């Protein structure tokens, strides 16, 4: 890899860090729930709203990339993300937080759809391994969010009036730096999906051809795999503290550590996964990952059943949260690379469709919110288990 390509890869990895900002919604929704005295189902609207925009904007972003290029699309995503982080600094009320999280979701949709194909322009080797390393960088931002929020809630300067919201200006500054670094880095992009000039001129044709790809069974199965991955990811992010509060009797500030624990193990999983995906077959590592996720669900159910013994419940839940963090850490990269390698001449379109699958981050938290309001947090675990069962069935479909 040449010097310019290495610089480009560094700037792109900085963008992966900014991509991780979206995961602050999990711990933020818990603090907003406490601050505004919301129910679980209402509080879960926030993470659900973030990922709702993946359904709306993923495919249009794939079309946009064909018009303005991948790098410019990533820069646009960073600009929207910075604005989303600015709003909660001004004030905290339900309407402002909904607008902020909506913009955060839109910015992240633009980023996830365009950044992964941009990486494929720079890397000619093992794509899944490189995307996994990007997820490792992203996970660093994810596990830092609860730590910064907890510090802000207890240690931030009172006159600043931010408390846990000190998280937002810190990440906003990093987002601005990522924008400047990428803007100043030259990147040579691939041609747009090997389409003919006539096809490139027709936005309607772009839309139709992209959605037609879901008619391919293999592409559709990869899409559902990503829906389940992100549903479990967002679900664990938002639910982990609540599990410890309900079944281990912990306070929110103490239980917030569970979210960091999840992201620490997801970070470790991404880092080690970038190695394992170079030395193991993708299918072998997928089997290991999903098996750990199944074990995590068993531990969470056991933790809920041990509510009468808070110490036992706490450690069972910690183990379950750690296992799902590690197991789920590489599922996105493996499923996305399966789809992109299946149709390498349609990377922009496939990326748009696969990122649309992040809509699972809307579906799962909403269902989990209703289930937990009905039967407690064990209901939320049951909803996540459905996603794990699907991923177990997907094992035989992993090819590349």
């Amino acid at each position: 890899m040449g010097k310019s390509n290495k610089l480009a890869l560094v700037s792109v990895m900085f963008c992966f860090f900014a991509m991780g900002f979206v995961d602050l919604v999990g711990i933020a929704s818990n603090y907003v729930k406490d601050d505004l005295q919301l129910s679980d189902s209402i509080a879960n609207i926030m993470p659900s709203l973030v990922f709702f925009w993946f359904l709306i904007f993923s495919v249009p972003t794939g079309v946009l990339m064909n018009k303005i290029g991948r790098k410019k699309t990533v820069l646009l995503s960073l600009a929207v993300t910075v604005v989303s982080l600015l709003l909660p600094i001004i004030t905290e009320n339900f309407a402002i937080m909904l607008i902020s999280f909506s913009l955060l979701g839109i910015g992240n949709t633009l980023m996830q759809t365009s950044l992964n194909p941009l990486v494929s322009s720079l890397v000619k080797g093992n794509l899944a391994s490189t995307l996994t390393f990007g997820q490792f960088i992203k996970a660093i931002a994810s596990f830092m969010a609860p730590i910064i929020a907890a510090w802000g809630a207890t240690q931030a300067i009172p006159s600043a009036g931010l408390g846990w919201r000190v998280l937002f200006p810190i990440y906003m500054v990093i987002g601005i730096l990522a924008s400047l670094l990428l803007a100043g880095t030259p990147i040579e992009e691939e041609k747009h999906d090997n389409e003919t000039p006539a096809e490139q001129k027709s936005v309607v044709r772009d839309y139709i051809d992209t959605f037609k790809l879901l008619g391919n069974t293999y592409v559709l199965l990869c899409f559902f795999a990503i829906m389940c991955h992100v549903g479990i990811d967002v679900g664990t992010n938002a639910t982990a503290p609540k599990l410890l509060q309900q079944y281990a009797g912990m306070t929110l500030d103490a239980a917030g550590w569970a979210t960091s624990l999840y992201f620490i193990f997801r970070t470790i999983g991404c880092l080690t996964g970038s190695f394992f995906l170079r030395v193991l077959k993708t299918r072998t590592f997928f089997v290991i990952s999903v098996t750990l996720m199944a074990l995590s669900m068993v531990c969470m159910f056991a933790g809920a059943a041990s509510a009468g013994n808070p110490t036992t419940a706490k450690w069972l839940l910690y183990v379950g949260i750690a296992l799902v963090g590690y197991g789920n850490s590489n599922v996105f990269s493996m499923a996305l690379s399966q789809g992109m390698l299946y149709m390498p001449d349609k990377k922009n379109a496939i990326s748009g469709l696969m990122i649309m699958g992040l809509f699972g981050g809307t579906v799962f938290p909403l269902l989990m919110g209703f289930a937990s309001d009905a039967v407690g947090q064990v209901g939320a675990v049951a909803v996540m288990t459905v996603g794990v069962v699907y991923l177990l069935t997907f094992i035989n479909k992993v090819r590349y």
Side-chain angles (χ1 to χ4, degrees):
M1 184 180 290
K3 186 175 180 180
S4 60
N5 253 26
K6 287 180 180 178
L7 178 61
L9 196 57
V10 168
S11 68
V12 165
M13 289 301 158
F14 205 161
C15 293
F16 269 104
F17 187 89
M19 187 191 290
F21 296 170
V22 72
D23 290 320
L24 67 82
V25 69
I27 191 63
S29 65
N30 281 277
Y31 277 105
V32 174
K33 176 179 180 286
D34 262 22
D35 291 348
L36 304 181
Q37 298 297 301
L38 307 174
S39 67
D40 275 334
S41 53
I42 296 298
N44 277 13
I45 289 175
M46 287 178 282
S48 295
L49 187 60
V50 168
F51 290 90
F52 167 76
W53 300 107
F54 285 95
L55 177 67
I56 305 299
F57 284 103
S58 295
V59 172
T61 301
V63 175
L64 179 66
M65 279 192 290
N66 285 340
K67 307 303 176 186
I68 68 173
R70 296 166 183 170
K71 178 181 170 180
K72 288 181 180 178
T73 307
V74 175
L75 287 171
L76 176 61
S77 75
L78 287 167
V80 175
T81 299
V82 167
V83 173
S84 76
L85 296 170
L86 174 63
L87 294 180
I89 300 173
I90 301 170
T91 186
E92 180 190 9
N93 62 54
F94 193 61
I96 287 293
M97 298 310 291
L98 288 181
I99 294 170
S100 171
F101 287 169
S102 291
L103 290 174
L104 185 63
I106 293 169
N108 207 258
T109 304
L110 293 166
M111 194 180 305
Q112 297 232 31
T113 307
S114 54
L115 190 57
N116 292 302
L118 187 61
V119 171
S120 73
S121 298
L122 301 173
V123 178
K124 305 305 178 186
N126 192 316
L127 180 59
S129 176
T130 305
L131 291 178
T132 292
F133 185 75
Q135 292 297 309
F136 160 68
I137 301 297
K138 173 180 180 284
I140 294 174
S142 300
F143 85 73
M144 282 176 59
I147 296 172
I148 296 171
W151 170 81
T154 57
Q155 301 294 327
I157 300 172
S159 61
L162 291 175
W164 68 270
R165 288 181 292 131
V166 72
L167 173 66
F168 292 98
I170 292 173
Y171 275 4
M172 185 180 72
V173 170
I174 296 173
I176 293 171
L177 292 175
S179 304
L180 295 174
L181 180 59
L182 181 63
T185 305
I187 296 178
E188 184 177 345
E189 300 182 29
E190 299 169 331
K191 298 296 182 183
H192 302 317
D193 286 1
N194 296 330
E195 295 175 340
T196 66
E199 288 175 321
Q200 289 182 21
K201 290 178 183 176
S202 172
V203 174
V204 174
R205 172 62 70 84
D206 274 344
Y207 272 76
I208 293 173
D209 287 350
T210 297
F211 278 108
K212 276 184 178 178
L213 295 176
L214 281 178
N216 182 287
T217 302
Y218 191 75
V219 173
L220 185 63
L221 291 173
C222 291
F223 174 82
F224 285 139
I226 286 180
M227 276 195 75
C228 291
H229 153 77
V230 75
I232 295 165
D233 179 56
V234 177
T236 305
N237 185 2
T239 302
K242 299 173 189 174
L243 285 166
L244 288 162
Q245 286 178 279
Q246 180 172 346
Y247 300 116
M250 298 172 67
T251 65
L252 176 56
D253 286 338
W257 157 248
T259 304
S260 291
L261 177 68
Y262 171 71
F263 285 118
I264 286 170
F265 274 85
R266 202 178 80 169
T267 303
I268 294 171
C270 290
L271 180 61
T272 56
S274 64
F275 167 75
F276 286 132
L277 283 168
R278 292 182 184 274
V279 298
L280 296 176
K281 291 182 178 179
T282 301
R283 183 174 175 180
T284 301
F285 194 58
F286 191 87
V287 170
I288 294 170
S289 298
V290 180
T291 300
L292 291 176
M293 294 173 70
L295 290 173
S296 77
M297 297 298 110
V298 173
C299 287
M300 289 187 194
F301 279 120
S306 303
N309 187 333
T311 301
T312 301
K314 179 177 71 172
W315 288 107
L316 282 169
L317 291 171
Y318 275 154
V319 171
I321 291 163
L323 286 175
V324 74
Y326 190 93
N328 202 29
S329 58
N330 299 287
V331 171
F332 174 79
S333 300
M334 288 186 281
L336 176 62
S337 64
Q338 293 296 298
M340 292 177 71
L341 292 173
Y342 181 70
M343 291 187 174
D345 60 331
K346 296 289 182 183
K347 286 180 180 176
N348 285 359
I350 291 293
S351 178
L353 285 175
M354 294 300 105
I355 299 304
M356 188 172 73
L358 297 185
F359 176 66
T362 292
V363 176
F364 275 67
L366 281 177
L367 294 176
M368 290 167 68
F370 289 123
S372 59
D373 278 345
V375 298
Q377 298 304 324
V378 69
V381 176
V383 174
M384 290 194 291
T385 302
V386 174
V388 175
V389 170
Y390 175 81
L391 292 175
L392 286 169
T393 68
F394 186 70
I395 288 173
N396 289 333
K397 305 299 180 183
V398 178
R399 301 180 181 180
Y400 302 101

PDB file of all heavy atoms in Angstrom, residues 292-318:
ATOM      1  N   LEU A 292     -21.635 -17.974  20.514  1.00  0.00           N
ATOM      2  CA  LEU A 292     -21.447 -17.127  21.697  1.00  0.00           C
ATOM      3  C   LEU A 292     -22.689 -16.289  21.976  1.00  0.00           C
ATOM      4  O   LEU A 292     -23.070 -16.074  23.134  1.00  0.00           O
ATOM      5  CB  LEU A 292     -20.226 -16.219  21.503  1.00  0.00           C
ATOM      6  CG  LEU A 292     -18.858 -16.898  21.487  1.00  0.00           C
ATOM      7  CD1 LEU A 292     -17.760 -15.881  21.197  1.00  0.00           C
ATOM      8  CD2 LEU A 292     -18.584 -17.598  22.816  1.00  0.00           C
ATOM      9  N   MET A 293     -23.331 -15.826  20.918  1.00  0.00           N
ATOM     10  CA  MET A 293     -24.556 -15.040  21.093  1.00  0.00           C
ATOM     11  C   MET A 293     -25.676 -15.887  21.699  1.00  0.00           C
ATOM     12  O   MET A 293     -26.433 -15.419  22.557  1.00  0.00           O
ATOM     13  CB  MET A 293     -24.995 -14.447  19.749  1.00  0.00           C
ATOM     14  CG  MET A 293     -24.032 -13.407  19.191  1.00  0.00           C
ATOM     15  SD  MET A 293     -24.461 -12.882  17.518  1.00  0.00           S
ATOM     16  CE  MET A 293     -25.949 -11.945  17.843  1.00  0.00           C
ATOM     17  N   ALA A 294     -25.777 -17.144  21.256  1.00  0.00           N
ATOM     18  CA  ALA A 294     -26.801 -18.033  21.811  1.00  0.00           C
ATOM     19  C   ALA A 294     -26.540 -18.278  23.300  1.00  0.00           C
ATOM     20  O   ALA A 294     -27.476 -18.260  24.116  1.00  0.00           O
ATOM     21  CB  ALA A 294     -26.806 -19.357  21.043  1.00  0.00           C
ATOM     22  N   LEU A 295     -25.271 -18.487  23.660  1.00  0.00           N
ATOM     23  CA  LEU A 295     -24.916 -18.681  25.070  1.00  0.00           C
ATOM     24  C   LEU A 295     -25.241 -17.433  25.890  1.00  0.00           C
ATOM     25  O   LEU A 295     -25.645 -17.520  27.058  1.00  0.00           O
ATOM     26  CB  LEU A 295     -23.437 -19.026  25.197  1.00  0.00           C
ATOM     27  CG  LEU A 295     -23.013 -20.416  24.681  1.00  0.00           C
ATOM     28  CD1 LEU A 295     -21.493 -20.556  24.718  1.00  0.00           C
ATOM     29  CD2 LEU A 295     -23.669 -21.524  25.503  1.00  0.00           C
ATOM     30  N   SER A 296     -25.073 -16.252  25.267  1.00  0.00           N
ATOM     31  CA  SER A 296     -25.345 -15.005  25.988  1.00  0.00           C
ATOM     32  C   SER A 296     -26.819 -14.891  26.351  1.00  0.00           C
ATOM     33  O   SER A 296     -27.174 -14.414  27.433  1.00  0.00           O
ATOM     34  CB  SER A 296     -24.915 -13.794  25.146  1.00  0.00           C
ATOM     35  OG  SER A 296     -25.849 -13.520  24.114  1.00  0.00           O
ATOM     36  N   MET A 297     -27.696 -15.326  25.442  1.00  0.00           N
ATOM     37  CA  MET A 297     -29.125 -15.274  25.729  1.00  0.00           C
ATOM     38  C   MET A 297     -29.467 -16.199  26.904  1.00  0.00           C
ATOM     39  O   MET A 297     -30.286 -15.863  27.766  1.00  0.00           O
ATOM     40  CB  MET A 297     -29.939 -15.675  24.489  1.00  0.00           C
ATOM     41  CG  MET A 297     -29.792 -14.753  23.281  1.00  0.00           C
ATOM     42  SD  MET A 297     -30.359 -13.052  23.574  1.00  0.00           S
ATOM     43  CE  MET A 297     -28.784 -12.170  23.567  1.00  0.00           C
ATOM     44  N   VAL A 298     -28.815 -17.371  26.948  1.00  0.00           N
ATOM     45  CA  VAL A 298     -29.032 -18.302  28.058  1.00  0.00           C
ATOM     46  C   VAL A 298     -28.631 -17.645  29.377  1.00  0.00           C
ATOM     47  O   VAL A 298     -29.351 -17.721  30.384  1.00  0.00           O
ATOM     48  CB  VAL A 298     -28.229 -19.603  27.839  1.00  0.00           C
ATOM     49  CG1 VAL A 298     -28.312 -20.505  29.076  1.00  0.00           C
ATOM     50  CG2 VAL A 298     -28.738 -20.351  26.612  1.00  0.00           C
ATOM     51  N   CYS A 299     -27.481 -16.962  29.385  1.00  0.00           N
ATOM     52  CA  CYS A 299     -27.010 -16.293  30.600  1.00  0.00           C
ATOM     53  C   CYS A 299     -27.960 -15.179  31.035  1.00  0.00           C
ATOM     54  O   CYS A 299     -28.213 -14.999  32.236  1.00  0.00           O
ATOM     55  CB  CYS A 299     -25.609 -15.715  30.375  1.00  0.00           C
ATOM     56  SG  CYS A 299     -24.302 -16.951  30.314  1.00  0.00           S
ATOM     57  N   MET A 300     -28.498 -14.430  30.077  1.00  0.00           N
ATOM     58  CA  MET A 300     -29.417 -13.340  30.430  1.00  0.00           C
ATOM     59  C   MET A 300     -30.714 -13.876  31.025  1.00  0.00           C
ATOM     60  O   MET A 300     -31.232 -13.336  32.006  1.00  0.00           O
ATOM     61  CB  MET A 300     -29.705 -12.471  29.202  1.00  0.00           C
ATOM     62  CG  MET A 300     -28.527 -11.616  28.770  1.00  0.00           C
ATOM     63  SD  MET A 300     -28.983 -10.472  27.446  1.00  0.00           S
ATOM     64  CE  MET A 300     -27.357  -9.953  26.896  1.00  0.00           C
ATOM     65  N   PHE A 301     -31.241 -14.952  30.447  1.00  0.00           N
ATOM     66  CA  PHE A 301     -32.445 -15.565  31.018  1.00  0.00           C
ATOM     67  C   PHE A 301     -32.155 -16.092  32.420  1.00  0.00           C
ATOM     68  O   PHE A 301     -32.975 -15.944  33.334  1.00  0.00           O
ATOM     69  CB  PHE A 301     -32.948 -16.699  30.122  1.00  0.00           C
ATOM     70  CG  PHE A 301     -33.760 -16.235  28.936  1.00  0.00           C
ATOM     71  CD1 PHE A 301     -33.359 -16.517  27.636  1.00  0.00           C
ATOM     72  CD2 PHE A 301     -34.940 -15.530  29.124  1.00  0.00           C
ATOM     73  CE1 PHE A 301     -34.108 -16.095  26.545  1.00  0.00           C
ATOM     74  CE2 PHE A 301     -35.717 -15.109  28.038  1.00  0.00           C
ATOM     75  CZ  PHE A 301     -35.290 -15.389  26.745  1.00  0.00           C
ATOM     76  N   ALA A 302     -30.977 -16.709  32.586  1.00  0.00           N
ATOM     77  CA  ALA A 302     -30.601 -17.236  33.901  1.00  0.00           C
ATOM     78  C   ALA A 302     -30.434 -16.099  34.912  1.00  0.00           C
ATOM     79  O   ALA A 302     -30.809 -16.233  36.081  1.00  0.00           O
ATOM     80  CB  ALA A 302     -29.306 -18.045  33.792  1.00  0.00           C
ATOM     81  N   GLY A 303     -29.887 -14.969  34.463  1.00  0.00           N
ATOM     82  CA  GLY A 303     -29.729 -13.816  35.341  1.00  0.00           C
ATOM     83  C   GLY A 303     -31.066 -13.270  35.801  1.00  0.00           C
ATOM     84  O   GLY A 303     -31.250 -12.928  36.972  1.00  0.00           O
ATOM     85  N   ALA A 304     -32.013 -13.221  34.866  1.00  0.00           N
ATOM     86  CA  ALA A 304     -33.354 -12.747  35.217  1.00  0.00           C
ATOM     87  C   ALA A 304     -34.026 -13.700  36.206  1.00  0.00           C
ATOM     88  O   ALA A 304     -34.730 -13.275  37.130  1.00  0.00           O
ATOM     89  CB  ALA A 304     -34.209 -12.607  33.956  1.00  0.00           C
ATOM     90  N   ALA A 305     -33.780 -14.992  36.020  1.00  0.00           N
ATOM     91  CA  ALA A 305     -34.372 -15.991  36.910  1.00  0.00           C
ATOM     92  C   ALA A 305     -33.744 -15.962  38.297  1.00  0.00           C
ATOM     93  O   ALA A 305     -34.311 -16.513  39.247  1.00  0.00           O
ATOM     94  CB  ALA A 305     -34.224 -17.384  36.304  1.00  0.00           C
ATOM     95  N   SER A 306     -32.562 -15.331  38.424  1.00  0.00           N
ATOM     96  CA  SER A 306     -31.854 -15.271  39.712  1.00  0.00           C
ATOM     97  C   SER A 306     -32.078 -13.948  40.424  1.00  0.00           C
ATOM     98  O   SER A 306     -31.249 -13.534  41.243  1.00  0.00           O
ATOM     99  CB  SER A 306     -30.351 -15.489  39.478  1.00  0.00           C
ATOM    100  OG  SER A 306     -30.101 -16.709  38.829  1.00  0.00           O
ATOM    101  N   ALA A 307     -33.171 -13.272  40.111  1.00  0.00           N
ATOM    102  CA  ALA A 307     -33.436 -11.944  40.674  1.00  0.00           C
ATOM    103  C   ALA A 307     -33.447 -11.942  42.200  1.00  0.00           C
ATOM    104  O   ALA A 307     -33.141 -10.934  42.830  1.00  0.00           O
ATOM    105  CB  ALA A 307     -34.763 -11.405  40.143  1.00  0.00           C
ATOM    106  N   GLY A 308     -33.768 -13.084  42.812  1.00  0.00           N
ATOM    107  CA  GLY A 308     -33.776 -13.147  44.271  1.00  0.00           C
ATOM    108  C   GLY A 308     -32.398 -13.113  44.883  1.00  0.00           C
ATOM    109  O   GLY A 308     -32.238 -12.880  46.086  1.00  0.00           O
ATOM    110  N   ASN A 309     -31.383 -13.343  44.054  1.00  0.00           N
ATOM    111  CA  ASN A 309     -29.986 -13.310  44.507  1.00  0.00           C
ATOM    112  C   ASN A 309     -29.243 -12.278  43.657  1.00  0.00           C
ATOM    113  O   ASN A 309     -28.700 -12.626  42.613  1.00  0.00           O
ATOM    114  CB  ASN A 309     -29.349 -14.696  44.365  1.00  0.00           C
ATOM    115  CG  ASN A 309     -27.955 -14.762  44.988  1.00  0.00           C
ATOM    116  OD1 ASN A 309     -27.259 -13.744  45.084  1.00  0.00           O
ATOM    117  ND2 ASN A 309     -27.550 -15.951  45.391  1.00  0.00           N
ATOM    118  N   PRO A 310     -29.225 -11.013  44.069  1.00  0.00           N
ATOM    119  CA  PRO A 310     -28.667  -9.937  43.232  1.00  0.00           C
ATOM    120  C   PRO A 310     -27.228 -10.173  42.769  1.00  0.00           C
ATOM    121  O   PRO A 310     -26.896  -9.833  41.631  1.00  0.00           O
ATOM    122  CB  PRO A 310     -28.745  -8.706  44.146  1.00  0.00           C
ATOM    123  CG  PRO A 310     -29.853  -9.011  45.089  1.00  0.00           C
ATOM    124  CD  PRO A 310     -29.778 -10.486  45.337  1.00  0.00           C
ATOM    125  N   THR A 311     -26.387 -10.768  43.619  1.00  0.00           N
ATOM    126  CA  THR A 311     -24.988 -11.000  43.230  1.00  0.00           C
ATOM    127  C   THR A 311     -24.903 -11.990  42.086  1.00  0.00           C
ATOM    128  O   THR A 311     -24.194 -11.775  41.090  1.00  0.00           O
ATOM    129  CB  THR A 311     -24.169 -11.515  44.432  1.00  0.00           C
ATOM    130  OG1 THR A 311     -24.222 -10.552  45.488  1.00  0.00           O
ATOM    131  CG2 THR A 311     -22.715 -11.745  44.033  1.00  0.00           C
ATOM    132  N   THR A 312     -25.633 -13.108  42.209  1.00  0.00           N
ATOM    133  CA  THR A 312     -25.648 -14.108  41.133  1.00  0.00           C
ATOM    134  C   THR A 312     -26.227 -13.519  39.857  1.00  0.00           C
ATOM    135  O   THR A 312     -25.692 -13.709  38.757  1.00  0.00           O
ATOM    136  CB  THR A 312     -26.477 -15.340  41.554  1.00  0.00           C
ATOM    137  OG1 THR A 312     -25.911 -15.909  42.736  1.00  0.00           O
ATOM    138  CG2 THR A 312     -26.496 -16.389  40.452  1.00  0.00           C
ATOM    139  N   ALA A 313     -27.334 -12.798  40.002  1.00  0.00           N
ATOM    140  CA  ALA A 313     -27.969 -12.178  38.833  1.00  0.00           C
ATOM    141  C   ALA A 313     -27.009 -11.223  38.144  1.00  0.00           C
ATOM    142  O   ALA A 313     -26.898 -11.213  36.908  1.00  0.00           O
ATOM    143  CB  ALA A 313     -29.238 -11.443  39.262  1.00  0.00           C
ATOM    144  N   LYS A 314     -26.301 -10.419  38.933  1.00  0.00           N
ATOM    145  CA  LYS A 314     -25.370  -9.437  38.365  1.00  0.00           C
ATOM    146  C   LYS A 314     -24.303 -10.114  37.517  1.00  0.00           C
ATOM    147  O   LYS A 314     -24.047  -9.703  36.380  1.00  0.00           O
ATOM    148  CB  LYS A 314     -24.717  -8.635  39.493  1.00  0.00           C
ATOM    149  CG  LYS A 314     -23.710  -7.606  38.996  1.00  0.00           C
ATOM    150  CD  LYS A 314     -23.131  -6.790  40.147  1.00  0.00           C
ATOM    151  CE  LYS A 314     -22.199  -7.607  41.002  1.00  0.00           C
ATOM    152  NZ  LYS A 314     -21.485  -6.772  42.000  1.00  0.00           N
ATOM    153  N   TRP A 315     -23.691 -11.164  38.055  1.00  0.00           N
ATOM    154  CA  TRP A 315     -22.589 -11.793  37.318  1.00  0.00           C
ATOM    155  C   TRP A 315     -23.070 -12.585  36.110  1.00  0.00           C
ATOM    156  O   TRP A 315     -22.403 -12.621  35.072  1.00  0.00           O
ATOM    157  CB  TRP A 315     -21.751 -12.656  38.261  1.00  0.00           C
ATOM    158  CG  TRP A 315     -20.932 -11.806  39.180  1.00  0.00           C
ATOM    159  CD1 TRP A 315     -21.112 -11.585  40.516  1.00  0.00           C
ATOM    160  CD2 TRP A 315     -19.823 -10.987  38.792  1.00  0.00           C
ATOM    161  NE1 TRP A 315     -20.187 -10.693  40.998  1.00  0.00           N
ATOM    162  CE2 TRP A 315     -19.376 -10.305  39.962  1.00  0.00           C
ATOM    163  CE3 TRP A 315     -19.155 -10.747  37.587  1.00  0.00           C
ATOM    164  CZ2 TRP A 315     -18.311  -9.419  39.953  1.00  0.00           C
ATOM    165  CZ3 TRP A 315     -18.095  -9.863  37.572  1.00  0.00           C
ATOM    166  CH2 TRP A 315     -17.674  -9.211  38.730  1.00  0.00           C
ATOM    167  N   LEU A 316     -24.225 -13.214  36.222  1.00  0.00           N
ATOM    168  CA  LEU A 316     -24.782 -13.899  35.046  1.00  0.00           C
ATOM    169  C   LEU A 316     -25.101 -12.905  33.937  1.00  0.00           C
ATOM    170  O   LEU A 316     -24.830 -13.152  32.751  1.00  0.00           O
ATOM    171  CB  LEU A 316     -26.047 -14.667  35.436  1.00  0.00           C
ATOM    172  CG  LEU A 316     -25.843 -16.003  36.154  1.00  0.00           C
ATOM    173  CD1 LEU A 316     -27.163 -16.519  36.711  1.00  0.00           C
ATOM    174  CD2 LEU A 316     -25.231 -17.041  35.201  1.00  0.00           C
ATOM    175  N   LEU A 317     -25.656 -11.763  34.307  1.00  0.00           N
ATOM    176  CA  LEU A 317     -25.971 -10.731  33.323  1.00  0.00           C
ATOM    177  C   LEU A 317     -24.710 -10.142  32.723  1.00  0.00           C
ATOM    178  O   LEU A 317     -24.632  -9.902  31.513  1.00  0.00           O
ATOM    179  CB  LEU A 317     -26.836  -9.637  33.960  1.00  0.00           C
ATOM    180  CG  LEU A 317     -28.256 -10.067  34.335  1.00  0.00           C
ATOM    181  CD1 LEU A 317     -28.952  -8.988  35.155  1.00  0.00           C
ATOM    182  CD2 LEU A 317     -29.076 -10.395  33.086  1.00  0.00           C
ATOM    183  N   TYR A 318     -23.693  -9.916  33.554  1.00  0.00           N
ATOM    184  CA  TYR A 318     -22.416  -9.413  33.042  1.00  0.00           C
ATOM    185  C   TYR A 318     -21.828 -10.375  32.006  1.00  0.00           C
ATOM    186  O   TYR A 318     -21.343  -9.963  30.941  1.00  0.00           O
ATOM    187  CB  TYR A 318     -21.418  -9.218  34.185  1.00  0.00           C
ATOM    188  CG  TYR A 318     -21.528  -7.895  34.911  1.00  0.00           C
ATOM    189  CD1 TYR A 318     -21.102  -7.774  36.242  1.00  0.00           C
ATOM    190  CD2 TYR A 318     -22.042  -6.760  34.290  1.00  0.00           C
ATOM    191  CE1 TYR A 318     -21.197  -6.560  36.932  1.00  0.00           C
ATOM    192  CE2 TYR A 318     -22.132  -5.548  34.962  1.00  0.00           C
ATOM    193  CZ  TYR A 318     -21.715  -5.454  36.278  1.00  0.00           C
ATOM    194  OH  TYR A 318     -21.803  -4.260  36.944  1.00  0.00           O
TER     195      TYR A 318
END
